[in-house]
Amino acid sequence: MGAAMRRIHVGNALSAFGLGFTVPYLYVYVAQVRGLGPMTAGMVLAVFAVAALIVLPLAGRAIVRRGALPVLLAALLTAAIGSLSLGLSASAATVLLSAAALGAGQAVMQPALATMIVDCSGPETRSRAFALQFFLQNLGLGVGGLIGGHLVDPTRAGSFTLLFAIEAVMFLLLVVVMFTVRMPRSPRIDGTPAQSVKGSWKQLLGNRAMVQLCVLGFVLFFACYGQFESGLSAYGVEAAGISTSTLGTALAANTLVIVVAQFAVLRFVERRKRSRVIASVGLIWAVAWAVAGYAGLGGASQEMATAAFVSTYALFGLGEAMLSPTLAPLVADLAPTGMAGQYNSAFALVKQLALAVGPAVGGPMAASLHAPYIVVFLLFSLGITVLALRLGRRLTAVQDQPSAAGSRVVAQGGTEQAPAPA
């Protein structure tokens, strides 16, 4: 890694550490510590999603026009202000406004950092760069959540104010780190039309492979991440009799698998076609849902049900470790020159939509319709496999498997361009 990439990864770790400090305790803080009730707490979580959906379409154009670094700095300052004001807020109005600022800043960080990784990496190193990013994000979230849990005290509002203040400091520290980054010039390919740099949503929607990837991404996030803290946890409690402490163990198992397996999985992924890797993730997650079905519907003992439920989260973690060096680099390789910011923002928008719809659909179903819930999401996982194989037919050979390229061919926007002669 170059100096710029090292600083970007430090930034990823710091931002994840700060988020891990506060996100798990946000509901308790608003509903109980500030005494604003579960309705306001639910609205705060909704505001996070709405703010992301509003700013992400604008973030892509801003990254293309201004560059990823200035957009990231603006997002970090916005998030720091939102975090600090959230820790000081006592009324519903100020809490919601602060949550909107924090949610908007957090949402823009993701495509900005992803675009910076694209600019600082090449086809040979991109998968490893995104795998390391995912590793550091999970490690930061886990460590931040663990430390934050020992600092908070539901009987003292000041302990939560300290928590949000530390998160704001993490964002400001990241601003200082990012100021030291010297970004390389974005690569340019001879013969690329000038208008491709300016980009537009119309141009993006005209890229059939990218549209198919967005549909696939929506199903991926809807069937996995959108169920972690809502549907799957509700199913575990209601159908499998899982305790809240076991839910924490299951989430820890998910993170542990990602941290332990990430780089071992990377070696496997780098030698395979990306479309087939994603297809295999769909099969792994189908097995995970079948195991979850056994935990709640199989009539097993409580010990076996608990082991099966924890195994479900571990299997999801294995699939996530396979996706981290696959999805983000594929988005970058599909983007025409200069359009990585627009494409990263579009994919982040799809993710936010899935994370907003997933809990709304899965939560109520998991709480009362246990068997249909398992069947529906098992079928969604098999649908991931089908969609991934269909996407593979539209990708070029280099986009689907960069490591197998016999020569240095640059794939952009669904077309292959031969390298310039020496």
Side-chain angles (χ1 to χ4, degrees):
M1 292 185 298
M5 184 68 83
R6 285 196 295 271
R7 286 171 172 79
I8 292 168
H9 283 314
V10 168
N12 273 303
L14 286 174
S15 62
F17 181 78
L19 293 176
F21 250 73
T22 59
V23 170
Y25 317 107
L26 190 59
Y27 184 90
V28 173
Y29 170 70
V30 176
Q32 299 178 10
V33 176
R34 291 301 184 186
L36 299 176
M39 181 71 72
T40 302
M43 290 176 64
V44 166
L45 297 176
V47 163
F48 270 87
V50 171
L53 295 178
I54 291 174
V55 299
L56 281 172
L58 305 175
R61 296 297 296 275
I63 292 172
V64 170
R65 292 179 175 179
R66 304 295 182 187
L69 183 55
V71 173
L72 175 62
L73 295 175
L76 288 169
L77 291 173
T78 302
I81 294 171
S83 179
L84 185 59
S85 60
L86 190 58
L88 298 172
S89 298
S91 67
T94 53
V95 163
L96 292 173
L97 288 174
S98 302
L102 179 57
Q106 289 176 3
V108 176
M109 287 181 209
Q110 179 182 348
L113 284 167
T115 304
M116 292 174 71
I117 290 176
V118 171
D119 290 342
C120 292
S121 63
E124 303 85 359
T125 60
R126 193 162 292 150
S127 292
R128 289 184 174 270
F130 278 104
L132 182 57
Q133 179 200 33
F134 191 66
F135 171 84
L136 291 173
Q137 283 177 341
N138 279 276
L139 192 62
L141 286 170
V143 173
L146 181 64
I147 296 176
H150 287 85
L151 292 179
V152 296
D153 181 356
T155 63
R156 294 191 303 112
S159 66
F160 285 85
T161 302
L162 174 63
L163 216 63
F164 285 103
I166 292 174
E167 181 184 37
V169 169
M170 289 296 104
F171 291 138
L172 294 176
L173 180 59
L174 183 49
V175 169
V176 175
V177 172
M178 289 296 106
F179 258 121
T180 67
V181 173
R182 295 294 178 264
M183 294 295 295
R185 291 179 179 271
S186 298
R188 290 289 180 265
I189 302 175
D190 293 337
T192 301
Q195 63 268 25
S196 68
V197 179
K198 298 181 179 179
S200 67
W201 284 96
K202 182 178 179 180
Q203 181 184 356
L204 187 150
L205 294 174
N207 188 329
R208 297 287 297 278
M210 183 60 188
V211 171
Q212 283 189 333
L213 180 59
C214 286
V215 172
L216 173 59
F218 180 88
V219 178
L220 279 166
F221 295 120
F222 175 79
C224 176
Y225 298 94
Q227 304 307 313
F228 266 10
E229 297 177 2
S230 57
L232 193 54
S233 59
Y235 169 84
V237 172
E238 298 294 339
I242 301 300
S243 66
T244 53
S245 61
T246 302
L247 287 177
T249 302
L251 288 169
N254 174 268
T255 302
L256 181 63
V257 167
I258 293 171
V259 170
V260 171
Q262 181 65 82
F263 295 103
V265 167
L266 178 61
R267 294 189 177 188
F268 170 83
V269 169
E270 285 182 323
R271 299 187 181 98
R272 269 84 182 169
K273 292 184 177 181
R274 288 166 170 171
S275 58
R276 293 183 181 178
V277 170
I278 301 172
S280 65
V281 170
L283 295 178
I284 292 172
W285 285 357
V287 173
W289 283 109
V291 172
Y294 169 76
L297 307 171
S301 64
Q302 190 58 53
E303 291 77 11
M304 291 298 295
T306 299
F309 191 76
V310 173
S311 298
T312 298
Y313 275 79
L315 286 169
F316 275 121
L318 178 60
E320 292 175 74
M322 295 171 68
L323 288 176
S324 62
T326 306
L327 279 179
L330 182 53
V331 173
D333 287 348
L334 288 174
T337 303
M339 288 283 289
Q342 183 98 28
Y343 276 56
N344 283 323
S345 295
F347 200 72
L349 178 62
V350 168
K351 180 179 179 179
Q352 288 295 330
L353 284 170
L355 294 181
V357 175
V361 174
M365 182 182 292
S368 56
L369 303 172
H370 303 149
Y373 176 72
I374 294 297
V375 171
V376 166
F377 283 93
L378 191 152
L379 292 175
F380 266 111
S381 296
L382 294 176
I384 290 170
T385 300
V386 174
L387 290 171
L389 294 176
R390 289 187 62 186
L391 174 64
R393 301 191 194 108
R394 192 169 289 278
L395 299 175
T396 67
V398 178
Q399 289 169 343
D400 204 11
Q401 191 176 4
S403 63
S407 61
R408 298 192 63 175
V409 178
V410 181
Q412 294 289 346
T415 62
E416 293 184 3
Q417 299 181 20

